[in-house]
Amino acid sequence: MNRDSIMDESKREMMIWLERLNFKNIEDTKEIIMEYFNILHSVSKLPEPPCKPLDGEPSTMENNDSQNKEVVEEISEVIPEVIEEQEGYIFERKLRGGYLQEINAFIPEGIVRNLNIKHGDLVGAKRMIDDTSEGNPKYYYTLLEKKDGADAPDRGEMNYCIIERESGALVVKSNSLTGEKILYKGTSYCLFLNDQEIRQFNLEEGDIVDVAYKVSNPSQHKVTWKHEHSESNEEIKSFDKRKRPTDPKKEKTDSPTIDQTLKGMNVMIVGNESARSAYQEQIEKRGGTLLWGHTKEAMERLEPLVKKADFIIFLLGLSGHVGMKQIKSFSKEHGVTFQTTFNQGTTSIVRMAETIAIELGTS
């Protein structure tokens, strides 16, 4: 196989991987594609075979097959040698998993935990042929040197969180071992699990998970690990799924209470009338009051609502642009916080309202 053949075959196989690409395998596919580029880069550095036979060599092209074979053998030999000479790569902790920037390699969460890799540690990477993945090279990682063990900037983590159900959504709030709560600007904060992660990890109420989030904006978070109830660790064993109490009085007492994160707040939402009642229910459960409006209404009616509101959430794509400019002008005139979003789901809107309320309370 000559260089062009290697290039053509690599492009063909990369197209197959890209055709299988979906949101669940983005990171794995990215890693595989980068491996192809690494191989092609190594091949491009191999010397061209001589055009004319050297002294003492056959003058015919009968040795073409052996030359091509040597090229393929050189590929497998060059790759490990180049990587083994590296002193180590700096590990960058992400919300889930980590990254080696020097070689553009993503390290899955499972490997990070197995090797106990922390942000800033030096990690070795050796590229080998994985027989189970159709010959595509894979990285094998080793922890070369521990550093100070500090977590990545702006990364928070909460472990052993029991998933609760709140207003129909799956949420986590705290470490169930220590009782430590997730905080944002000094106030307890509830993380709503999104549908993609619920499907990916097969999550349900009572499961125990670890989560990571951005300290500056906890609404950006990921489930990093799901603990199995069958694990031998005694701390994990104590987390059997919550049983429903049989005593009605106890059931009433033990039912989870919703934090009054919007207490005394007038929340104005513009657009999506079909979800108005759902918005109202969730806002009122958190101690707030919904002021609902639509850009089709007369501006004379909307201005008093703006003046009364503590903040405004304008739903883009559901309301007119002209109306948005007018309401934004009202909000500026009366000193009311104005924010826009393309989200329409009740969970997303409530979470956005809670974040704005926290920011207003600390400003």
Side-chain angles (χ1 to χ4, degrees):
M1 180 181 291
N2 58 30
R3 292 168 185 253
D4 291 338
S5 297
I6 293 174
M7 174 65 76
D8 292 341
E9 183 66 16
S10 297
K11 289 193 292 186
R12 186 188 68 81
E13 293 184 5
M14 282 191 285
M15 289 301 299
I16 294 175
W17 282 108
L18 291 173
E19 287 174 358
R20 299 175 182 175
L21 178 65
N22 56 52
F23 286 111
K24 293 183 178 180
N25 64 14
I26 287 178
E27 294 295 344
D28 290 338
T29 304
K30 175 184 175 182
E31 183 178 348
I32 291 170
I33 295 298
M34 290 309 303
E35 299 296 352
Y36 278 100
F37 280 104
N38 290 335
I39 286 182
L40 293 174
H41 183 66
S42 296
V43 172
S44 69
K45 291 185 175 181
L46 293 176
E48 290 283 355
C51 298
K52 296 182 179 181
L54 301 176
D55 293 341
E57 290 186 341
S59 59
T60 66
M61 296 302 291
E62 294 176 354
N63 60 348
N64 276 356
D65 291 340
S66 62
Q67 288 178 346
N68 293 336
K69 182 179 179 181
E70 289 172 2
V71 171
V72 176
E73 289 175 348
E74 285 184 69
I75 296 170
S76 60
E77 292 174 1
V78 168
I79 293 172
E81 289 176 1
V82 170
I83 292 182
E84 287 173 357
E85 290 175 359
Q86 297 295 330
E87 296 181 359
Y89 305 104
I90 298 176
F91 175 74
E92 298 179 19
R93 191 64 158 110
K94 300 300 183 182
L95 289 184
R96 184 166 59 227
Y99 184 65
L100 303 180
Q101 184 175 9
E102 294 92 333
I103 58 175
N104 194 28
F106 177 81
I107 303 181
E109 181 71 22
I111 295 177
V112 174
R113 288 172 177 257
N114 288 338
L115 298 179
N116 192 27
I117 308 174
K118 303 296 183 181
H119 181 72
D121 288 348
L122 290 181
V123 176
K126 183 178 180 181
R127 196 162 60 240
M128 292 185 175
I129 299 297
D130 188 343
D131 294 334
T132 63
S133 60
E134 301 179 359
N136 297 312
K138 307 286 286 185
Y139 282 109
Y140 292 87
Y141 303 100
T142 54
L143 178 59
L144 300 181
E145 183 180 347
K146 297 289 291 182
K147 295 298 182 179
D148 58 15
D151 207 345
D154 201 29
R155 183 181 188 272
E157 188 172 36
M158 191 65 69
N159 298 327
Y160 305 120
C161 303
I162 289 183
I163 296 178
E164 303 175 25
R165 185 173 293 279
E166 182 176 294
S167 305
L170 296 182
V171 302
V172 295
K173 301 178 179 180
S174 62
N175 183 316
S176 296
L177 282 177
T178 66
E180 180 185 1
K181 291 185 177 182
I182 298 170
L183 299 177
Y184 177 55
K185 295 187 176 180
T187 304
S188 60
Y189 194 89
C190 180
L191 303 184
F192 289 81
L193 307 183
N194 61 56
D195 292 339
Q196 181 179 344
E197 288 189 319
I198 291 173
R199 292 192 298 269
Q200 179 181 351
F201 289 92
N202 192 25
L203 301 177
E204 58 185 32
E205 183 180 5
D207 282 339
I208 307 157
V209 296
D210 297 345
V211 295
Y213 54 91
K214 288 195 172 184
V215 176
S216 62
N217 184 8
S219 64
Q220 297 183 35
H221 61 267
K222 288 186 178 182
V223 172
T224 59
W225 198 257
K226 176 183 176 182
H227 295 281
E228 298 298 332
H229 292 279
S230 59
E231 293 179 11
S232 59
N233 189 302
E234 290 300 321
E235 290 179 329
I236 304 300
K237 279 188 174 182
S238 66
F239 289 113
D240 290 331
K241 292 184 179 179
R242 293 179 175 177
K243 298 179 181 179
R244 296 181 179 274
T246 55
D247 186 350
K249 294 181 180 179
K250 184 177 181 182
E251 182 173 6
K252 184 177 180 180
T253 303
D254 292 347
S255 58
T257 58
I258 299 177
D259 292 337
Q260 298 298 286
T261 51
L262 299 174
K263 186 176 180 179
M265 289 281 183
N266 291 320
V267 182
M268 182 173 178
I269 297 177
V270 182
N272 200 10
E273 184 174 9
S274 62
R276 178 179 177 178
S277 60
Y279 297 155
Q280 182 175 355
E281 178 186 0
Q282 296 307 317
I283 289 172
E284 290 179 352
K285 282 183 177 181
R286 290 161 174 79
T289 301
L290 173 68
L291 307 177
W292 186 85
H294 197 285
T295 52
K296 291 182 180 179
E297 298 181 77
M299 291 299 154
E300 292 78 8
R301 177 187 176 278
L302 289 176
E303 186 173 9
L305 293 178
V306 172
K307 292 173 64 176
K308 187 178 180 181
D310 289 289
F311 57 87
I312 302 168
I313 298 176
F314 190 96
L315 306 185
L316 297 169
L318 298 174
S319 302
H321 180 69
V322 175
M324 182 189 74
K325 291 178 65 177
Q326 185 62 64
I327 293 175
K328 186 175 181 179
S329 176
F330 287 152
S331 67
K332 185 176 181 180
E333 179 182 348
H334 299 292
V336 179
T337 297
F338 179 89
Q339 290 198 19
T340 61
T341 179
F342 280 102
N343 289 322
Q344 304 172 22
T346 304
T347 298
S348 298
I349 297 302
V350 170
R351 182 166 51 197
M352 184 176 182
E354 289 177 323
T355 301
I356 298 173
I358 291 173
E359 292 175 346
L360 291 176
T362 57
S363 60

